Amino acid sequence: MRNKTTENVKHIFKKEFKSYFVSPIAYIVISIFLLIMGWLFFSTFFLNDQASLVGFFAILPPAFAFIIPAVTMRLFSEEMNVGTYELLLTLPVTFRDIIVGKFLAAVGFVAVMLAPTLVYAITVTFMGSLDWGPVLGSYLGALLLGAAFSAIGLLASAMTRNQVVAFIIGMAICVCLALLTDFLLFFLPDSLVGFFQFFSAKYHFADIAKGVIDSRNILYFLSVIFIALYGANLIMQEKK
Amino acid sequence: MIKFENLTRYYGDVCAVDHVSFEVKKGEILGFLGPNGAGKTTTYRILTGYLQATSGTIKVKDYDIHEDQLEIKKLIGYLPESAPIYHDMLVYDYLNYIADIRGVPEADKLPHIKGLADLCSLNEVMHKTVNQLSKGYRQRVGIAHALMGNPEILVLDEPTVGLDPNQIVDTREIIKRIGKEKTIIFSTHILSEAAATCDRFVIINKGKLAADLTIDQLKELTKDRSFEELFRNLTRGDNQ
């Protein structure tokens, strides 16, 4: 029985992952992401006079907060709108298969989107000696961050049949998580900021990006993923 | 084979299906008839696991919809009303995906898909995307979807709606042919079609069971009047 479940997740993943690339939206989103990231990163890169990717990873959380909900908004909303949601739910698969399959497809897409930025790292090695430790740590962190935002985007998509609404809800939550510490610094005493920054994705991401992989940071992202996917499961249950 | 027991479903305050009980025997072709909004689609959706019953239950073989939904889904091939299908997928890819999910073994997959393509006359459109297809072809893709993996039970929600007269005859032929070894529930608004294909007739109106007739009982009742007249009497009685 366990085997059958992983089989189903695999089939749903394959179908969803492929369907990203049959429409032009995937290529547009990836192009915009690479253009904006490249421009923002390299426009300040030479001012710092340092061979590092710190600048790149610093702008990644807000960039992901906008881009990823656009990637995930169709996951459920489109199916509900077109009516294929009924087909999906009457196939012999569980909610968990569907959610995990769709989630992994979104994470796969984020990985594809992120892969070309490795070129930046290679470019930088030509200009000075790049410390690969923090870079690899950052990429792991970026994948975790992308996965967490994908899970949130999926949750938002399960809430509504309107893709625009799904995008806005997803973006709002992701922006909060990405910029929480920056907002709070303005109007909270330092002691409370320390507490609230535990909820901030940016804080945990920055920690991993230093190259020190701490289980607390990984646990944070895994919890966000779990809570969001579980929430999506509850919403699907509730819709029946 | 399928036993509906006091099946009831509310949408908020509106009662869509009201204590409906009947039984479908193995190998029967059941015409499930009723005016629009009578609760046919809701009943199908509960049977196929898309919606949950408010109270009452359906038993398929020894399985109960509240406990063994996944097992029941494996037994049923379902064609929803207006056959919603992923519109950006190739017909072949779509059928292949459904075959995977339905657990058709890798070795049997190609012959099985080919067989269904022949049965539903889909050979010319296998390499078109679903949104390029006419209504008739889409409906036939839906029928192929329902037949995938040889389920024992077929649930067809208005399989002939929107088809031209030739296609209606073809579809009826398909239903009759596969009905020899399968249990089928289907609905239609063309009563002559139902009379020509079905062994039994269940008529519901406003969520309540209005009649449950065998073909012989129907013949008896329609001796001195048409099926249409009988249908109108059964389903409009309270309006007149």
Side-chain angles (χ1 to χ4, degrees):
Chain A
M1 210 59 237
R2 219 186 105 75
N3 238 340
K4 180 74 185 145
T5 291
T6 43
E7 279 290 295
N8 284 339
V9 169
K10 198 180 86 193
H11 297 316
I12 292 171
F13 165 80
K14 247 169 60 186
K15 186 237 148 213
E16 292 289 332
F17 188 68
K18 243 172 130 180
S19 76
Y20 273 120
F21 294 96
V22 292
S23 77
I25 297 168
Y27 304 100
I28 296 170
V29 167
I30 292 178
S31 311
I32 291 177
F33 173 75
L34 293 175
L35 263 174
I36 292 181
M37 290 304 284
W39 177 58
L40 286 178
F41 173 50
F42 281 106
S43 61
T44 57
F45 176 72
F46 295 101
L47 299 176
N48 291 335
D49 209 23
Q50 265 183 355
S52 87
L53 287 174
V54 172
F56 171 73
F57 287 112
I59 48 175
L60 203 56
F64 268 5
F66 286 98
I67 291 273
I68 290 182
V71 172
T72 56
M73 64 183 182
R74 45 168 284 281
L75 285 177
F76 283 103
S77 306
E78 191 183 33
E79 299 228 23
M80 286 188 240
N81 204 20
V82 179
T84 49
Y85 190 63
E86 186 173 352
L87 282 186
L88 185 66
L89 258 57
T90 52
L91 288 172
V93 292
T94 60
F95 285 173
R96 208 183 56 195
D97 300 341
I98 297 171
I99 291 172
V100 174
K102 281 177 181 275
F103 166 70
L104 291 179
V107 176
F109 183 85
V110 171
V112 169
M113 187 165 75
L114 208 53
T117 65
L118 283 167
V119 174
Y120 301 166
I122 294 165
T123 315
V124 170
T125 54
F126 290 129
M127 302 178 200
S129 66
L130 179 70
D131 185 357
W132 278 93
V135 172
L136 292 181
S138 298
Y139 270 105
L140 174 73
L143 267 185
L144 282 171
L145 180 76
F149 283 4
S150 299
I152 290 166
L154 182 142
L155 170 69
S157 186
M159 286 177 186
T160 165
R161 60 169 54 215
N162 186 326
Q163 291 195 39
V164 178
V165 174
F167 171 69
I168 291 171
I169 294 173
M171 190 191 66
I173 302 174
C174 290
V175 166
C176 282
L177 288 181
L179 301 174
L180 192 66
T181 36
D182 305 62
F183 289 143
L184 294 176
L185 271 177
F186 292 119
F187 46 83
L188 275 183
D190 278 356
S191 53
L192 280 177
V193 170
F195 171 72
F196 275 106
Q197 69 187 7
F198 279 112
F199 295 101
S200 153
K202 191 187 171 188
Y203 167 77
H204 292 280
F205 174 65
D207 240 20
I208 297 182
K210 284 176 199 151
V212 189
I213 292 160
D214 187 338
S215 58
R216 269 178 300 180
N217 299 320
I218 294 179
L219 197 66
Y220 166 81
F221 287 112
L222 294 182
S223 329
V224 171
I225 293 168
F226 178 78
I227 292 168
L229 297 186
Y230 188 69
N233 187 22
L234 287 183
I235 289 173
M236 287 176 76
Q237 207 72 254
E238 189 58 35
K239 277 204 158 77
K240 281 187 95 175
Chain B
M1 189 76 169
I2 312 171
K3 218 171 171 180
F4 295 78
E5 289 171 2
N6 281 318
L7 191 71
T8 306
R9 164 77 194 197
Y10 280 88
Y11 294 108
D13 289 341
V14 184
C15 186
V17 178
D18 190 1
H19 293 90
V20 168
S21 304
F22 64 94
E23 203 177 326
V24 189
K25 293 190 192 71
K26 193 173 165 65
E28 248 180 355
I29 303 182
L30 179 94
F32 192 46
L33 313 173
N36 286 329
K40 299 189 297 282
T41 300
T42 305
T43 309
Y44 289 146
R45 285 177 168 175
I46 297 169
L47 174 61
T48 53
Y50 179 59
L51 291 175
Q52 221 148 26
T54 310
S55 70
T57 184
I58 306 174
K59 292 211 168 83
V60 181
K61 285 186 160 175
D62 291 325
Y63 302 118
D64 186 295
I65 45 160
H66 295 291
E67 278 139 40
D68 322 291
Q69 198 144 67
L70 201 62
E71 292 305 315
I72 294 182
K73 283 181 184 176
K74 283 181 196 159
L75 292 172
I76 296 179
Y78 177 40
L79 170 72
E81 201 177 0
S82 79
I85 294 165
Y86 298 102
H87 51 244
D88 51 2
M89 270 179 117
L90 298 177
V91 173
Y92 174 79
D93 283 350
Y94 177 70
L95 293 179
N96 197 33
Y97 166 63
I98 301 298
D100 281 338
I101 294 252
R102 286 228 156 240
V104 178
E106 203 62 32
D108 307 344
K109 219 162 67 175
L110 205 60
H112 188 47
I113 292 174
K114 273 198 180 129
L116 285 179
D118 287 337
L119 181 71
C120 305
S121 328
L122 288 172
N123 282 315
E124 310 93 273
V125 298
M126 287 303 264
H127 292 284
K128 286 189 177 170
T129 57
V130 172
N131 56 7
Q132 290 173 303
L133 302 185
S134 67
K135 173 105 192 165
Y137 270 119
R138 237 179 255 203
Q139 197 75 14
R140 279 185 268 171
V141 175
I143 294 176
H145 157 104
L147 287 168
M148 187 62 74
N150 263 322
E152 288 179 48
I153 300 164
L154 283 176
V155 177
L156 310 171
D157 196 353
E158 304 198 12
T160 56
V161 75
L163 301 185
D164 69 38
N166 296 332
Q167 293 166 337
I168 290 179
V169 174
D170 291 346
T171 309
R172 199 188 300 164
E173 285 307 309
I174 295 175
I175 293 173
K176 272 200 148 170
R177 210 178 324 158
I178 54 186
K180 291 203 177 94
E181 48 219 80
K182 293 186 197 304
T183 309
I184 299 181
I185 304 180
F186 91 106
S187 50
T188 174
H189 286 306
I190 310 170
L191 296 175
S192 56
E193 179 184 309
T197 17
C198 299
D199 311 319
R200 249 185 67 211
F201 306 86
V202 166
I203 301 175
I204 64 166
N205 183 38
K206 296 188 175 152
K208 287 194 175 68
L209 196 73
D212 181 352
L213 307 165
T214 63
I215 184 90
D216 296 325
Q217 284 169 315
L218 182 83
K219 276 184 185 147
E220 191 62 37
L221 280 168
T222 52
K223 239 195 285 183
D224 48 356
R225 55 183 165 174
S226 68
F227 195 179
E228 279 78 9
E229 240 176 290
L230 174 74
F231 182 84
R232 278 172 70 83
N233 277 342
L234 283 168
T235 57
R236 283 193 54 191
D238 39 354
N239 292 353
Q240 288 160 345

